[in-house]
Amino acid sequence: MEHKGINLTLKVWRQQNTNTAGEFVTYQVKDISQEMSFLEMFDVLNEQLIQEDKEPIAFDHDCREGICGMCSMYIDGKPHGPWQANTTCQLHMRAFNDGDTITVEPWRAQAFPVLKDLVVDRTSFDRIIQAGGYVSVNTGNAVDGNSLPINKNDADASFAAAMCIGCGACVAACKNSSAMLFLSAKVSHLALLPQGEPERQSRVMNMVAQMDKEGFGACTNTGACEATCPKEISLSNIARLNQEYLLASLTSN
Amino acid sequence: MLNAKIPAGPLDDKWTDYKGHCKLVNPANKRKLEVIVVGTGLAGASAAATLGELGYKVKAFCFQDSPRRAHSIAAQGGINAAKNYQNDGDSVFRLFYDTIKGGDYRAREANVHRLSEVSGNIIDQCVAQGVPFAREYGGLLSNRSFGGTQVQRTFYAAGQTGQQLLIGAYQGLERQVSLGNVKMYSRHEMLEIVMVDGKAQGIIARDLITGKLERHFGNAVLLCTGGYGNVFYLSTNAMGSNVTAAWKAHKKGAAFANPCFTQIHPTCIPVSGDHQSKLTLMSESLRNDGRIWVPAKLGETRKATDIPEEERDYYLERRYPAFGNLVPRDVASRAAKERCDAGYGVGTSKQAVYLDYAAAIERYGKIEVSKKGLENVSKEEIIALGKEVVKEKYGNLFDMYQKITGENPYEVPMRIYPAVHYTMGGLWVDYELQTTLAGVYALGEANFSDHGANRLGASALMQGLADGYFVIPYTIGNYLADEIYNKPISTDHPAFVEAEKEVSDRISTLKNINGKQSVESFHKRLGKIMWDKCGMARNAQGLTEAIAEIQALKKEFWSNVKVPGGINEMNPELDKANRVADFIELGELMCKDALERQESCGGHFREEYQTPEGEALRDDANFMYVAAWEYAGESNWKLNKEPLVYDVIKPSQRNYK
Amino acid sequence: MTWKEVFTSSVGKKLVMSFTGIFLILFLIVHVGLNACIWANDGGTMFNAGAHFMGNNVVPRILEIGLFAGLILHIVQGLMLELSNRSKRGSVGYAVSYSKGSKWYSRSMGLLGTIILLFLILHLYNFWLPNRANQGFLLGEEINLYAKMQDVFSNLWVVIIYVLGCISLGYHLAHGFQSAFRTIGVHNKRYNAIFTTLGYGFSVIVPLAFALMPLSFHFGWVN
């Protein structure tokens, strides 16, 4: 592998906390290996800031292998940066060239207030799940796992929706700051399985109501969410949610 | 003295008997009892959800922004269960036996048997929650094989089994939150356990957004805080995974068992440079189809694809013909290290071996050809068909490899190297999962109990969920049944005040050192000592040196660390400083434990103790015990031994040949 | 769930947009069909006959009320949604905006709709209003709409505005057509493919046919 060091200019959003105004601050980083991940480049920058007696940049991250959904940078106008089907932690510096200027912003949405620098509060997603994103089954109530065969295609489609990592990139990318892709992934995951059937109607209605309450926008099917989703959750899940909602609203009491 | 409280009677009946005789708490009283759950991975989320369902008042804590982020989510391969759906000879006993043997006879029989007994219920529970496991065309659950076993008992959801299971548990947890049975505290870190009259009565937690310290009362505290692999700095753990909660309990009196038992996973993406912040695992399931090799010739300079078949050394197949590429993790890791140390490693660092899919691609291609009834197919077409199949099975892993390394694994063999992955050691717990501190329980990877000296693949998920869904709901009742006679303690109690003061003093001390070195640099140095001297192979000299080096590092840390930012605000550097301080102390104990255990077993390989063929050489006469270390002041521990008694299984040398 | 809750939720509002949109699409088919009569080249006989039916028969006139209701609902709801959605970004917007991943016209439905609305006002002022005024807004005597068109489209500026209106309509439909079907829940891949293709076809052919009218009159392609 080629080890090329590149120099970059970073414009990073800095904000002390939710109640203060933020601003962009420009930093220079030198000799960044293209083998590094984007977050490792931030580690280098933070180490540099600590040595300069400045406060390092706060950013969310945890697993650094693209599955926990914690990392959340809006890089050069795209959530999780330029690569397709990717998370910030898996973005590597091969994606950039020597001399590039990179602008890094937090997710921007009313329902995701900035906590500090690039860290936002996504507990609204947890509350949407609380509104109905589960199967009400207490531990110990289950029957044998093979007692209910499930069509493989349905199981696969359900899995494809369940892959959502709850990172919020869909909201960040959406011009309406809508959480519809997130919501629809959960609704589809459970609607496609027989286990989700009993609560099918209440689930979709309650989850939509919670999404509205949290201050997310309405979906206009632009497809920006699907294009930026690290797990390539399909837009057709939104259509499925719409169907679920329509049927529920027509048939519920 | 350690009392494991293993129920009497035949192994098969122990758990049933226990459940039949343990104390119960009536529903009205459950509402009055508060349980604190720290950590929301598989063990924590399943425990919090289940205890909430039972009617206890639960408070759950996690340092991430949502319980769904816990690192259980990153488990790829699958979860074992003795369902015998494949009719290939599996049984509760067989899973029990494989787990004990895989753990190199350093686990407790009764615990492992219970784990094996409840394994089937876990699958049922997860299916009922809507976990989309892989299925066959007939609609029934699919299984695959995993290292260290000869049956297919691993249930999976592509390469994201941990994610799907955690989301199942997370959804159950959020349901209880919405019902008001669980109160969730995300972005909170537990920094102290509050003990009153020898019993745990609560915790001190720090709100990581505001920096404020909070006091929380609880009749019992469940530590479900995962493993401590990050003591090595580089590991497959998440960046935030830490030992702090367990370590606080340890310093308050909970024994820490077998700390040196570390699992090094054989198939990880190799280190690419000094900037490396973590290592990424490539699922063990890749060993199902991939073949591992190094060049047979020293100083080989050709590209992998240019090296002819006869000049390749498929060393696992050569050394272990019966299990081949599917030997247990510790064996595979050591074999890779042996080849690299002997100079046969590949890649720029020479610290890697090849994991090759060329043969599998061709084999799958041929199967497709016959399935589709094609004739006169060229080799290229066969390979193209084979790639399709491999893509469907392992596509996400291959994509990940390509993103990280920039190489296309469909065309060139992947380079892999072992990396720290899991810690079998942890807080000592009895049969009820209670630590030596009354009222403090440890579940999942945080405890030491089920995997002995080495964990088999797809067993971590099983253990976390077994503890949370099916064990703790029974065993905690046995303790809490007596707690109903005690009034809840006010958080103004002197014990709370004092514990909070200890925490805030420590934080101010850290902050006021104002030294020159960053927290990260100390962590890296600790990791290097640990990896070099307490890693895949250890010896007395290295361990002795490591202990001295760590003690020096600790001194330097507490006099020269630099923690920027304020105390009463979000400050990730401060969070990290708290954790690294504990890792340093743990590192010392790990080396001490490794030094004391003068044998090789499972993940613990002492170079002095090996067979002539280089296999681990156990010493059952002298070391068939759990080393439970009791904290006795700075750099000082007392060793308590829990002898391991094998009533059913006869320990033998592990043989995968 | 009450009907109010259904139609005031974010998905409910979208359903309103979808239902009214599909209704307007059906109207466009009728309208474009009638307009196409000008190319009969019979001096407007056929066209005026059709126009007479639409303007003087009680059934289409009652439907017209529904049309206006749907149109107004679509406009008001659309503008309200646009404003509400814009406010959801919060107080600070992005410095670099996200333009990959979605089509510009998908993101600009509010703008395109507003242009169409302005065009529509002109259009109603040009034809519908004088005609209905002549009728006393009941079933009275109509004006010669064919002649009126010849008159109106002699002005080049009007033609340009009409063509721009039709282009906006085309892009509005390019997103709106398939989006409307997604909103009512078509998630099956095969049907989605049909509606997407149909939508693109519709959004090119129908606005083109509309745009050809003023052009045909202005440049004398019909007599």
Side-chain angles (χ1 to χ4, degrees):
Chain A
M1 274 284 97
E2 199 183 351
H3 286 269
K4 208 176 110 192
I6 56 174
N7 301 329
L8 300 162
T9 305
L10 295 165
K11 280 176 66 185
V12 183
W13 183 261
R14 303 298 309 259
Q15 182 173 340
Q16 193 54 36
N17 57 49
T18 311
N19 303 320
T20 52
E23 58 174 356
F24 281 102
V25 179
T26 305
Y27 301 101
Q28 308 290 333
V29 285
K30 295 201 162 40
D31 199 26
I32 296 296
S33 159
Q34 289 195 302
E35 296 294 299
M36 275 187 204
S37 72
F38 197 78
L39 295 183
E40 284 166 351
M41 185 268 291
F42 260 74
D43 292 341
V44 170
L45 171 58
N46 272 348
E47 198 68 14
Q48 192 178 308
L49 291 175
I50 294 170
Q51 291 313 324
E52 291 167 5
D53 269 326
K54 290 176 187 154
E55 213 183 314
I57 301 159
F59 59 92
D60 263 334
H61 64 116
D62 199 26
C63 78
R64 295 208 179 184
E65 48 187 283
I67 193 76
C68 76
M70 191 126 169
C71 59
S72 54
M73 292 181 186
Y74 186 90
I75 301 160
D76 275 346
K78 187 171 180 288
H80 294 306
W83 285 358
Q84 281 303 299
N86 196 51
T87 54
T88 300
C89 64
Q90 296 290 79
L91 175 64
H92 279 66
M93 298 311 292
R94 284 187 295 278
F96 300 95
N97 298 311
D98 193 31
D100 280 357
T101 297
I102 308 171
T103 308
V104 186
E105 304 174 67
W107 285 177
R108 298 252 185 236
Q110 201 182 60
F112 288 166
V114 173
L115 294 174
K116 182 170 191 171
D117 299 340
L118 302 171
V119 178
V120 299
D121 179 356
R122 285 169 288 191
T123 46
S124 46
F125 269 15
D126 288 334
R127 289 188 293 272
I128 291 176
I129 298 296
Q130 282 160 24
Y134 47 74
V135 173
S136 295
V137 54
N138 283 1
T139 305
N141 287 347
V143 294
D144 186 84
N146 258 353
S147 61
L148 192 59
I150 299 173
N151 178 302
K152 186 181 189 311
N153 293 332
D154 288 343
D156 288 351
S158 171
F159 171 70
M163 283 207 295
C164 167
I165 57 175
C167 64
C170 46
V171 176
C174 177
K175 78 174 187 67
N176 309 322
S177 311
S178 175
M180 199 64 150
L181 194 67
F182 169 77
L183 204 69
S184 70
K186 188 47 62 200
V187 166
S188 289
H189 161 206
L190 297 173
L192 283 160
L193 297 174
Q195 287 82 7
E197 184 64 33
E199 293 163 288
R200 202 169 170 165
Q201 294 199 338
S202 59
R203 176 180 305 118
V204 66
M205 294 190 295
N206 294 338
M207 288 178 78
V208 168
Q210 188 64 34
M211 176 183 91
D212 293 348
K213 205 171 125 192
E214 295 290 344
F216 292 99
C219 171
T220 57
N221 295 328
T222 66
C225 51
E226 182 187 41
T228 198
C229 176
K231 298 295 155 187
E232 299 182 295
I233 306 289
S234 163
L235 200 60
S236 63
N237 288 310
I238 294 183
R240 187 182 289 106
L241 178 146
N242 291 332
Q243 186 194 51
E244 295 284 321
Y245 189 87
L246 187 58
L247 291 177
S249 61
L250 289 177
T251 59
S252 74
N253 280 310
Chain B
M1 209 37 234
L2 297 168
N3 177 6
K5 294 194 215 155
I6 297 168
L11 188 59
D12 287 356
D13 302 336
K14 285 182 196 291
W15 182 230
T16 314
D17 282 353
Y18 178 90
K19 287 193 290 183
H21 296 101
C22 64
K23 292 179 207 161
L24 300 174
V25 182
N26 89 44
N29 283 329
K30 282 194 183 112
R31 285 196 286 274
K32 295 180 199 150
L33 293 168
E34 296 192 45
V35 180
I36 287 173
V37 179
V38 185
T40 57
L42 286 180
S46 59
T50 307
L51 296 177
E53 288 162 9
L54 288 173
Y56 293 108
K57 272 162 75 180
V58 180
K59 288 178 177 178
F61 295 79
C62 70
F63 71 80
Q64 299 93 339
D65 72 332
S66 162
R68 68 179 295 153
R69 315 262 188 238
H71 199 55
S72 305
I73 206 159
Q76 298 170 351
I79 176 166
N80 287 332
K83 280 285 197 185
N84 194 29
Y85 283 157
Q86 304 304 321
N87 195 31
D88 58 358
D90 200 6
S91 64
V92 167
F93 182 82
R94 185 90 58 180
L95 173 56
F96 157 70
Y97 176 82
D98 285 347
T99 307
I100 292 276
K101 178 189 174 195
D104 220 355
Y105 307 97
R106 290 293 175 266
R108 217 185 260 153
E109 274 191 340
N111 285 51
V112 177
H113 199 274
R114 175 177 66 191
L115 172 67
S116 184
E117 283 174 59
V118 302
S119 64
N121 302 33
I122 297 172
I123 301 303
D124 302 338
Q125 178 65 23
C126 294
V127 168
Q129 287 172 340
V131 170
F133 283 118
R135 286 177 184 269
E136 305 292 348
Y137 282 102
L140 302 178
L141 294 161
S142 174
N143 289 117
R144 62 181 167 204
S145 49
F146 243 70
T149 65
Q150 288 175 315
V151 294
Q152 293 198 320
R153 64 159 73 99
T154 305
F155 295 80
Y156 63 99
Q160 280 132 288
T161 318
Q163 181 201 22
Q164 293 309 314
L165 296 177
L166 181 62
I167 287 184
Y170 157 76
Q171 288 172 187
L173 172 62
E174 293 298 347
R175 174 172 158 246
Q176 292 307 312
V177 173
S178 73
L179 293 171
N181 298 326
V182 177
K183 183 143 176 41
M184 186 67 223
Y185 296 86
S186 56
R187 292 199 199 265
H188 275 66
E189 184 151 28
M190 187 207 104
L191 291 177
E192 194 56 274
I193 287 193
V194 180
M195 301 292 294
V196 179
D197 299 333
K199 283 189 313 191
Q201 293 287 306
I203 62 166
I204 304 296
R206 185 164 175 269
D207 179 333
L208 300 181
I209 299 174
T210 63
K212 293 215 167 57
L213 294 179
E214 297 172 358
R215 303 170 191 175
H216 293 277
F217 168 79
N219 294 90
V221 176
L222 272 50
L223 300 179
C224 314
T225 50
Y228 48 85
N230 269 348
V231 69
F232 292 88
Y233 184 72
L234 286 182
S235 80
T236 64
N237 284 4
M239 301 302 286
S241 302
N242 66 81
V243 76
T244 290
W247 199 249
K248 300 302 179 197
H250 173 58
K251 289 181 89 171
K252 282 272 189 238
F256 209 103
N258 299 336
C260 79
F261 287 168
T262 313
Q263 177 160 80
I264 316 278
H265 197 292
T267 51
C268 299
I269 300 177
V271 175
S272 73
D274 294 335
H275 55 263
Q276 194 98 21
S277 62
K278 81 151 270 158
L279 295 169
T280 303
L281 177 79
M282 300 295 288
S283 169
E284 178 159 323
S285 62
L286 289 172
R287 284 199 279 145
N288 272 325
D289 284 313
R291 296 180 74 193
I292 294 174
W293 61 278
V294 290
K297 198 171 80 188
L298 267 179
E300 179 64 74
T301 52
R302 284 174 290 180
K303 281 197 298 188
T305 42
D306 295 339
I307 301 174
E309 200 61 26
E310 58 278 11
E311 291 177 47
R312 299 175 176 192
D313 177 14
Y314 294 92
Y315 58 88
L316 285 176
E317 296 169 31
R318 169 170 60 79
R319 284 179 66 178
Y320 308 100
F323 279 67
N325 292 299
L326 282 176
V327 290
R329 293 173 174 176
D330 55 337
V331 178
S333 293
R334 272 200 299 280
K337 177 175 159 47
E338 187 275 329
R339 283 292 86 189
C340 293
D341 288 351
Y344 294 94
V346 301
T348 41
S349 64
K350 298 284 170 208
Q351 290 293 303
V353 299
Y354 289 126
L355 173 62
D356 199 337
Y357 260 71
I361 287 172
E362 199 173 327
R363 179 162 51 84
Y364 281 121
K366 283 181 181 155
I367 294 173
E368 284 300 293
V369 167
S370 74
K371 256 196 213 164
K372 293 183 172 159
L374 305 175
E375 279 171 39
N376 297 326
V377 189
S378 71
K379 181 144 190 210
E380 285 71 38
E381 287 169 283
I382 293 176
I383 286 176
L385 286 168
K387 279 181 187 164
E388 282 304 306
V389 178
V390 168
K391 194 181 169 75
E392 197 186 312
K393 288 181 96 128
Y394 306 105
N396 59 335
L397 295 170
F398 278 41
D399 290 349
M400 186 167 76
Y401 182 85
Q402 185 159 13
K403 274 178 199 159
I404 293 173
T405 62
E407 292 174 356
N408 181 355
Y410 293 99
E411 305 296 336
V412 297
M414 287 178 264
R415 287 173 295 114
I416 54 161
Y417 197 69
V420 175
H421 176 57
Y422 186 90
T423 50
M424 283 71 70
L427 290 172
W428 184 89
V429 290
D430 57 22
Y431 189 72
E432 299 183 310
L433 303 181
Q434 187 165 209
T435 67
T436 52
L437 277 184
V440 178
Y441 290 76
L443 281 67
E445 191 180 351
N447 74 29
F448 87 104
S449 74
D450 296 350
H451 306 296
N454 174 55
R455 179 175 66 74
L456 289 182
S459 283
L461 302 182
M462 172 173 67
Q463 187 222 338
L465 290 180
D467 288 357
Y469 282 136
F470 298 108
V471 179
I472 199 73
Y474 292 93
T475 62
I476 203 166
N478 210 27
Y479 173 80
L480 291 176
D482 294 331
E483 274 290 298
I484 58 171
Y485 304 110
N486 306 324
K487 277 213 171 109
I489 284 172
S490 152
T491 50
D492 296 328
H493 187 282
F496 273 101
V497 177
E498 196 191 326
E500 186 185 307
K501 187 166 183 310
E502 272 174 43
V503 174
S504 74
D505 286 353
R506 173 169 140 131
I507 289 175
S508 328
T509 309
L510 274 172
K511 175 71 195 130
N512 292 332
I513 294 167
N514 247 326
K516 297 256 175 291
Q517 299 289 319
S518 69
V519 177
E520 197 78 4
S521 68
F522 281 105
H523 196 179
K524 278 189 182 176
R525 284 164 63 192
L526 172 68
K528 184 156 170 41
I529 299 171
M530 294 300 293
W531 180 245
D532 289 347
K533 295 178 173 164
C534 193
M536 253 190 292
R538 300 134 180 206
N539 60 51
Q541 194 203 338
L543 290 165
T544 315
E545 286 166 14
I547 291 172
E549 287 171 35
I550 293 170
Q551 284 172 350
L553 187 75
K554 183 176 167 186
K555 222 174 255 163
E556 197 184 333
F557 178 87
W558 284 98
S559 57
N560 198 24
V561 75
K562 180 175 187 172
V563 182
I567 290 173
N568 290 315
E569 61 179 27
M570 181 181 256
N571 187 346
E573 282 296 312
L574 179 58
D575 307 343
K576 209 156 60 181
N578 261 317
R579 296 169 191 164
V580 171
D582 294 332
F583 274 135
I584 293 176
E585 296 181 13
L586 166 76
E588 184 180 349
L589 178 62
M590 286 171 73
C591 294
K592 219 175 159 80
D593 184 45
L595 185 62
E596 195 275 341
R597 191 170 281 278
Q598 293 168 28
E599 62 161 350
S600 294
C601 61
H604 170 64
F605 190 74
R606 280 285 296 267
E607 287 168 344
E608 303 96 316
Y609 310 101
Q610 50 181 308
T611 65
E613 301 93 59
E615 304 297 337
L617 187 63
R618 265 192 355 253
D619 179 356
D620 288 348
N622 294 308
F623 292 94
M624 194 172 260
Y625 61 74
V626 176
W629 297 89
E630 200 182 310
Y631 186 70
E634 182 146 357
S635 289
N636 194 7
W637 284 272
K638 179 169 169 271
L639 173 61
N640 296 311
K641 296 176 184 175
E642 181 205 340
L644 289 166
V645 183
Y646 287 92
D647 292 325
V648 176
I649 290 182
K650 247 181 82 142
S652 58
Q653 206 210 320
R654 281 200 303 166
N655 183 2
Y656 293 97
K657 292 182 191 290
Chain C
M1 191 159 53
T2 64
W3 289 112
K4 186 175 169 239
E5 280 164 346
V6 171
F7 288 109
T8 52
S9 76
S10 57
V11 180
K13 285 177 192 165
K14 283 288 301 163
L15 281 169
V16 171
M17 293 304 288
S18 165
F19 289 139
T20 52
I22 292 172
F23 177 60
L24 293 173
I25 285 170
L26 291 175
F27 162 72
L28 287 179
I29 297 172
V30 176
H31 192 339
V32 82
L34 204 62
N35 283 11
C37 295
I38 61 160
W39 291 299
N41 265 345
D42 55 1
T45 315
M46 195 172 174
F47 175 83
N48 277 337
H52 176 69
F53 169 74
M54 296 304 279
N56 223 316
N57 186 298
V58 75
V59 175
R61 287 299 300 277
I62 290 171
L63 286 178
E64 188 181 65
I65 299 168
L67 174 65
F68 271 99
L71 189 63
I72 290 165
L73 203 54
H74 194 82
I75 292 166
V76 173
Q77 183 82 282
L79 287 173
M80 277 168 57
L81 262 177
E82 177 75 18
L83 287 177
S84 149
N85 283 341
R86 277 172 187 242
S87 74
K88 305 296 187 193
R89 185 59 80 211
S91 49
V92 186
Y94 286 119
V96 187
S97 62
Y98 181 54
S99 56
K100 298 146 217 154
S102 61
K103 301 279 196 299
W104 72 267
Y105 53 84
S106 293
R107 297 191 303 272
S108 314
M109 291 298 276
L111 175 69
L112 291 167
T114 307
I115 296 173
I116 296 168
L117 175 62
L118 294 176
F119 154 75
L120 215 54
I121 292 169
L122 178 71
H123 180 53
L124 291 175
Y125 170 78
N126 284 344
F127 300 103
W128 182 84
L129 193 64
N131 193 26
R132 292 288 178 269
N134 206 45
Q135 288 181 295
F137 295 96
L138 293 169
L139 295 176
E141 182 71 17
E142 293 161 277
I143 58 174
N144 182 339
L145 283 170
Y146 190 82
K148 180 77 178 165
M149 279 200 281
Q150 283 175 318
D151 176 37
V152 169
F153 295 138
S154 60
N155 183 337
L156 182 65
W157 286 111
V158 173
V159 173
I160 290 171
I161 291 170
Y162 269 62
V163 170
L164 287 176
C166 290
I167 292 172
S168 298
L169 178 65
Y171 280 111
H172 198 77
L173 283 167
H175 174 80
F177 192 100
Q178 50 90 22
S179 176
F181 287 96
R182 284 179 183 277
T183 300
I184 56 170
V186 179
H187 59 78
N188 179 305
K189 265 188 204 154
R190 291 179 303 141
Y191 287 103
N192 255 334
I194 291 175
F195 283 118
T196 305
T197 315
L198 215 61
Y200 285 133
F202 191 89
S203 59
V204 172
I205 293 166
V206 172
L208 187 69
F210 278 125
L212 279 173
M213 290 198 46
L215 292 171
S216 299
F217 278 105
H218 190 78
F219 296 106
W221 298 337
V222 289
N223 48 33

